[in-house]
Amino acid sequence: MAMSGNLPPRPSGPACRAERAHAVVAEPRLGAGPEAVAVDPAGRRAYVACSRDNAVVAVDLDRRVPVWRADVGREPIPVVLDLPSRRLFTADARSDTVTVLDADTAARVAQIPVGKDAYPAGLGHDPERRRIFCGNTAAGTITAIDADRLAVIGTIPAELGAGSIAVDGRRGRGYCANFMSASLTVFDTESLRPLERIAVGEGPCKVVVNPVADQLYVAGSLHGTVQRLSLATGRPLDEVRVERAPVGMCVAPDGSRFYVCNRGAGTVSVIDAVGGTETHRITVGNGPGDCQIDAASGRLLVSNAGSGTLTMVDRPWLPGAERPPTHAAVGRKLPEFALPDARTGEVRTTREWAEKRYLINFFASW
């Protein structure tokens, strides 16, 4: 029976176009230097380590507001949520500790030393084997912690710059990014034995596992690339170019794509995990440090170290509206400013270089 006359009109107009694009739905302010994010989709909470506030902030994912703040050690960079125990773990870089919090009450449960002058800057989690792994950047080691007893159970040798750690739970293998050694340390998460060294590009800053695609991703912050490796063989597959200083990543629950935080550009690159191509970019806050997906809503949560905010993006798998081809500052008059000469101390002004070409270098300590 023909029913073409009764079909509803096809959606069109601005509202329809908006539904085919990602959208920033909220950007709550958290504090100074938010870095890593952990998500509890069922409990409707996100937990963010604010490195410059020495605190963890819990955010209600539905009301999109902070609900509590808890003090931890100095400069917490990563945060891990262990769902079976309902505990949060932070690596406190300048306190040489791992702080443990109750995820529901914010109460401090323990503070575990990982070694003098270790500068712990990365965490890995093996929930099946009940282990937390801490990458000690200055010491070049990995501290293994029993997630239930909250006790150190071993130390694994890595290399200088040991930090971000990803775990392949199926094979019982951990991968530690050694930033200053341009390498990955592969270790057995059960026996705590180092297995092999994989050479990667300079400045590996973050590693994540895609268990669905059976791939490992390594963000190279110095050259703006992400290297894809096979988890089965450890061999490189290809290299994806992204924007400036990629430092954080996460994988979609279905494994079809992964998201890369470009700290130097204020964007997130969305990468097709099958083809290894960038499909689009999402504009977020300043200095995005890390990201996670809220599996219940599908939203992307991005911690912005430079803005002190958490960007919440709806439908992140979709491209957005077209952006202007040039930066908003192009064509605008340069504001006048004065700075002391680094060599002589004499105050120099922009007027001295009027109508001339010159380079301004802004140095970032991170």
Side-chain angles (χ1 to χ4, degrees), residues 46-139:
Y47 303 94
V48 185
C50 291
S51 62
R52 302 305 177 193
D53 276 347
N54 304 327
V56 170
V57 176
V59 179
D60 186 300
L61 290 175
D62 297 319
R63 294 189 293 129
R64 308 168 195 170
V65 295
V67 291
W68 58 251
R69 175 185 299 267
D71 293 335
V72 292
R74 295 171 56 208
E75 199 176 341
I77 298 174
V79 61
V80 161
L81 172 62
D82 179 53
L83 280 173
S85 66
R86 304 292 306 160
R87 289 170 177 166
L88 293 163
F89 295 78
T90 65
D92 313 316
R94 295 193 182 276
S95 293
D96 294 328
T97 57
V98 170
T99 298
V100 188
L101 300 174
D102 185 299
D104 299 315
T105 67
R108 181 179 294 188
V109 178
Q111 197 162 48
I112 306 166
V114 295
K116 182 176 170 52
D117 299 324
Y119 199 87
L123 288 179
H125 185 207
D126 189 340
E128 182 178 341
R129 294 167 183 83
R130 312 300 302 133
R131 288 175 178 183
I132 300 290
F133 299 99
C134 180
N136 304 312
T137 300

Side-chain angles (χ1 to χ4, degrees), residues 5-276:
N6 296 326
L7 290 175
R10 293 186 64 182
S12 62
C16 178
R17 288 195 294 272
E19 290 178 357
R20 298 183 192 139
H22 66 257
V24 174
V25 296
E27 203 162 54
R29 186 162 294 280
L30 304 181
E35 291 288 355
V37 187
V39 181
D40 179 5
R44 310 306 301 137
R45 291 274 176 93
Y47 303 94
V48 185
C50 291
S51 62
R52 302 305 177 193
D53 276 347
N54 304 327
V56 170
V57 176
V59 179
D60 186 300
L61 290 175
D62 297 319
R63 294 189 293 129
R64 308 168 195 170
V65 295
V67 291
W68 58 251
R69 175 185 299 267
D71 293 335
V72 292
R74 295 171 56 208
E75 199 176 341
I77 298 174
V79 61
V80 161
L81 172 62
D82 179 53
L83 280 173
S85 66
R86 304 292 306 160
R87 289 170 177 166
L88 293 163
F89 295 78
T90 65
D92 313 316
R94 295 193 182 276
S95 293
D96 294 328
T97 57
V98 170
T99 298
V100 188
L101 300 174
D102 185 299
D104 299 315
T105 67
R108 181 179 294 188
V109 178
Q111 197 162 48
I112 306 166
V114 295
K116 182 176 170 52
D117 299 324
Y119 199 87
L123 288 179
H125 185 207
D126 189 340
E128 182 178 341
R129 294 167 183 83
R130 312 300 302 133
R131 288 175 178 183
I132 300 290
F133 299 99
C134 180
N136 304 312
T137 300
T141 59
I142 302 161
T143 300
I145 297 170
D146 187 297
D148 297 311
R149 294 190 293 113
L150 305 182
V152 173
I153 56 175
T155 301
I156 306 164
E159 293 186 284
L160 193 60
S164 174
I165 298 173
V167 173
D168 176 7
R170 184 157 63 94
R171 296 179 177 88
R173 289 187 174 184
Y175 297 82
C176 178
N178 304 306
F179 183 84
M180 284 168 273
S181 302
S183 68
L184 302 179
T185 295
V186 188
F187 61 95
D188 188 299
T189 61
E190 181 67 40
S191 68
L192 308 183
R193 291 185 301 105
L195 299 175
E196 64 176 311
R197 179 188 191 271
I198 300 177
V200 292
E202 288 183 301
C205 192
K206 178 77 173 183
V207 283
V208 296
V209 162
N210 184 339
V212 180
D214 211 29
Q215 295 175 356
L216 178 74
Y217 308 129
V218 184
S221 61
L222 300 183
H223 298 289
T225 59
V226 176
Q227 191 170 357
R228 299 197 306 160
L229 294 87
S230 165
L231 282 174
T233 65
R235 295 177 181 174
L237 301 172
D238 57 24
E239 193 171 70
V240 184
R241 183 159 294 280
V242 293
E243 285 198 283
R244 298 183 297 279
V247 298
M249 290 185 292
C250 71
V251 177
D254 65 359
S256 62
R257 63 188 65 83
F258 60 99
Y259 300 87
V260 184
C261 295
N262 304 309
R263 191 171 193 131
T267 62
V268 173
S269 293
V270 185
I271 311 295
D272 178 357
V274 177

